[in-house]
Amino acid sequence: MTEIEFSGNNIILSDATLRDGSHAIRHQLTASHIDSYCEAVDKVGIDWVEVGHGNGLGASTFHIGSSATEDFIMLKTARARLKDTKLSVHVMPGIASLRRDIQPAIEQGVDVFRIGAHCSEADTTYRYIEFVRKAEKTAVGVLMMCHMLSPRKLAEQALGMQEAGAQAIMIMDSAGSLRMAEVAQRVSEMVNQLDIPIGIHAHDNLGLSVANSLVAVDEGAKIVDACAAGFGAGAGHAPLEVLIPLFRENNQSIADHQQYFRVVDMALNTFIPSPQTLSTGSVASGLAGIFSGFLKPIITEAARYGIDQFELIEELGKRHPVAGQEDLVIEIAKEISEKQKST
C-alpha cells in the first residue's frame, strides 16, 4: 500500500480553515480570501490545506447552504498559490459524485481526497476511495461523529476503508463531545488494528479540542486537523496557532509558528470575524452529541418559532442526527412550537 508522505514533519498538519471554517460564515468565502490565505500559508510548513464548502465538494445547495464561490474556482485559486503545501478536499458520498465533482477536482490538481461518511457507514466510501486511488491521488477515509461508536466498532469501520485502499484514516469528533480518555481509547484501538496513519479532527464544544489533539498524538495519531483561530463549525476547531508551537517544541513539526501567527492575524483582519469562543449553545450541543454544523440552524429556528434553543438541542440530541439532516432542526422546532401552543 502506498504510504502517506511526511514532508519533514513527524506528524501531518492539516489546515481546515478554508473548509471547516466555511461553516462559520455560511460558506461565504471568496476567491480573494482563498488566494490571500493560500499565498501566506504556503510559506509556513503546513502539509495540507483543505479548501471548499463546509460540507465538501458538490455541497453548495439551497438545502445545505449555497457557497459564495463555485467549487472549482476555489480549487483553481488555491492550486495556483500552493507550491509546497498539498491541496486537500472533503468529499461526502451522496453529496459529491464521482464524475461531476471528483474527476474535475482531480483535473484541477487536488492532491488529497478526504472521503467522509457517518462513522457506521464506511462502506459508502469504498467506491470513492477506489476511484481516487486509481487516479493516483491520496485517499483518506474519514469517520464522522466518531463519538457514536465504541473504539472496537470504529476500528472495524476503519479496517473496511483500509481494505478499499485508504492510505490514512481520520476520526472526526464532529460534535465536540469526546473527553480525553475517549479519544485515547479510540486512537489507541485504531493504531493497534490498522497499518495506516490515524488522524484526529477535534471540535471545541467542551473546550477540549487542543487537549484531545495532543492526547491523540500521544496515542500514536500522525495527522492533526486544526484551523486558524479555531475557525470552524459550531464552537469551532482546535486552533492551529496553539498546536504548531507545541508540536514544534516536541520536534514533531518543522512548521514556523511565528510566520503562522502572521497568517492568523491576516485572516482575522479579512474573512474571520473573530476568534471562535465557547457559547452555552456550543456546550449544550456538545453534551447532546449534535454535529457542530447544526448550531447556527438551531439558533435560527429557535428564534423563528419562539422556542428555547436548549429544549431544541435536547430534543434533537434524542434523534441522533447526522450531518446532512439539517431539516430535522426545522421539523423538531415546529413540533415543540405546536406542542407549546396546544398546552
Side-chain angles (χ1 to χ4, degrees):
M1 178 173 291
T2 305
E3 295 184 352
I4 293 283
E5 294 181 11
F6 288 78
S7 57
N9 293 326
N10 291 324
I11 58 172
I12 285 176
L13 296 175
S14 172
D15 183 345
T17 304
L18 299 177
R19 197 279 302 170
D20 204 331
S22 184
H23 284 293
I25 53 172
R26 299 185 184 274
H27 318 291
Q28 296 306 295
L29 286 170
T30 67
S32 176
H33 297 148
I34 293 165
D35 181 83
S36 59
Y37 188 85
C38 287
E39 181 181 26
V41 83
D42 192 54
K43 302 176 177 68
V44 171
I46 289 168
D47 300 274
W48 301 345
V49 167
E50 193 170 56
V51 176
H53 185 284
N55 292 83
L57 287 179
S60 179
T61 62
F62 176 78
H63 173 63
I64 299 176
S66 299
S67 292
T69 311
E70 293 180 7
D71 283 346
F72 301 109
I73 293 176
M74 288 193 273
L75 297 181
K76 182 178 180 180
T77 302
R79 180 71 285 163
R81 289 298 190 183
L82 296 176
K83 308 301 182 184
D84 299 321
T85 304
K86 292 186 182 299
L87 174 59
S88 169
V89 292
H90 185 64
V91 175
M92 293 174 64
I95 292 178
S97 75
L98 295 175
R99 299 299 174 186
R100 185 194 68 220
D101 302 300
I102 309 299
Q103 185 59 45
I106 290 170
E107 293 167 2
Q108 286 285 349
V110 171
D111 303 297
V112 181
F113 289 80
R114 291 153 50 100
I115 303 163
H118 182 66
C119 59
S120 62
E121 299 174 355
D123 59 335
T124 63
T125 68
Y126 297 169
R127 190 160 60 101
Y128 286 72
I129 291 169
E130 292 163 358
F131 187 89
V132 168
R133 290 303 309 278
K134 188 175 181 180
E136 299 184 344
K137 298 293 186 176
T138 299
V140 177
V142 177
L143 293 168
M144 301 184 292
M145 300 291 284
C146 68
H147 72 283
M148 297 180 75
L149 284 185
S150 69
R152 180 179 62 82
K153 290 187 178 295
L154 197 66
E156 289 173 358
Q157 294 287 321
L159 281 166
M161 289 175 156
Q162 178 179 273
E163 291 170 6
Q167 294 151 283
I169 302 291
M170 300 295 300
I171 58 169
M172 286 192 170
D173 183 17
S174 313
S177 63
L178 288 179
R179 282 64 164 177
M180 290 180 286
E182 294 170 319
V183 170
Q185 291 162 359
R186 282 161 176 77
V187 173
S188 177
E189 181 73 17
M190 295 181 73
V191 167
N192 288 335
Q193 294 291 332
L194 277 72
D195 301 321
I196 55 180
I198 307 303
I200 184 71
H201 175 105
H203 278 269
D204 204 40
N205 296 67
L206 301 180
L208 295 173
S209 62
V210 170
N212 283 343
S213 299
L214 296 175
V215 165
V217 170
D218 285 345
E219 294 296 329
K222 293 294 185 182
I223 306 170
V224 177
D225 277 4
C227 296
F231 189 51
H237 209 300
L240 189 51
E241 66 273 17
V242 175
L243 289 174
I244 290 177
L246 294 178
F247 290 142
R248 190 178 177 99
E249 282 180 4
N250 291 332
N251 296 315
Q252 295 163 316
S253 171
I254 60 170
D256 185 338
H257 59 277
Q258 291 189 349
Q259 182 66 26
Y260 190 67
F261 292 163
R262 298 184 186 98
V263 175
V264 174
D265 286 344
M266 178 273 293
L268 285 166
N269 285 320
T270 52
F271 62 89
I272 299 180
S274 63
Q276 297 281 148
T277 57
L278 283 176
S279 67
T280 52
S282 296
V283 176
S285 65
L287 293 171
I290 296 171
F291 170 53
S292 294
F294 280 24
L295 190 55
K296 285 186 181 296
I298 286 169
I299 294 169
T300 298
E301 298 306 323
R304 177 184 173 192
Y305 284 96
I307 62 174
D308 183 76
Q309 68 167 306
F310 303 111
E311 184 176 355
L312 177 54
I313 288 170
E314 184 177 357
E315 289 300 317
L316 189 62
K318 294 175 183 177
R319 310 284 182 95
H320 305 293
V322 300
Q325 291 184 308
E326 285 84 354
D327 55 332
L328 267 178
V329 178
I330 301 172
E331 180 183 321
I332 296 172
K334 187 176 180 181
E335 288 176 5
I336 293 172
S337 176
E338 290 176 348
K339 183 179 179 180
Q340 290 177 350
K341 289 176 182 176
S342 66
T343 56

